[in-house]
Amino acid sequence: DSKEKRSNLRKELLLAKEILDQRAKLFIKESEIQNLIVYPYNNGFFVLVPCEKANIVCNDLIRKNIFVVPMSGGLRIALSSICKEQIRLLVKEIKESIKEIDH
């Protein structure tokens, strides 16, 4: 029945939003611990990290099997593509790559 399908869809959407929110909170917390600057985050699928040499940093991260999207002035990280258990390491590796290359 369509009411049941809509109800199930709403539940799935709420669960997905909750998962993204948890990942974002953890990413922000770990960024603060590692002193990694992050653009203000309200909600959504992506976190943005300022980085002047985004393409070079991105290539360095690719060598470490970390895939982010270089943008003009920063790196875009898809929260939907990483599990909570990997966030601490992700933030650490991003910070290290930026420190080595961007400064």
Side-chain angles (χ1 to χ4, degrees), residues 1-101:
D1 142 291
S2 64
K3 285 185 181 183
E4 184 179 335
K5 288 179 183 179
R6 276 189 293 232
S7 176
N8 288 339
L9 177 60
R10 278 191 212 105
K11 289 176 187 173
E12 286 181 37
L13 289 172
L14 286 173
L15 178 61
K17 183 181 180 329
E18 184 179 315
I19 290 169
L20 281 173
D21 289 346
Q22 290 173 359
R23 291 175 185 177
K25 286 177 186 175
L26 184 56
F27 191 95
I28 300 301
K29 177 184 169 191
E30 290 298 323
S31 294
E32 289 171 357
I33 292 168
Q34 292 286 334
N35 293 317
L36 177 68
I37 298 169
V38 177
Y39 284 114
Y41 174 84
N42 292 319
N43 60 38
F45 292 96
F46 306 103
V47 174
L48 299 173
V49 174
C51 176
E52 291 190 22
K53 298 177 183 171
N55 286 325
I56 297 169
V57 171
C58 185
N59 287 333
D60 185 57
L61 291 168
I62 288 171
R63 285 190 287 277
K64 300 174 185 180
N65 289 319
I66 296 172
F67 303 94
V68 299
V69 177
M71 300 179 68
S72 177
L75 302 170
R76 184 173 75 171
I77 295 98
L79 296 171
S80 57
S81 70
I82 186 158
C83 66
K84 286 182 0 180
E85 295 77 20
Q86 294 176 332
I87 290 176
R88 179 174 288 133
L89 179 61
L90 172 66
V91 171
K92 181 178 179 279
E93 293 293 343
I94 291 171
K95 174 68 178 184
E96 287 178 7
S97 287
I98 290 173
K99 186 177 178 181
E100 291 173 14
I101 294 166

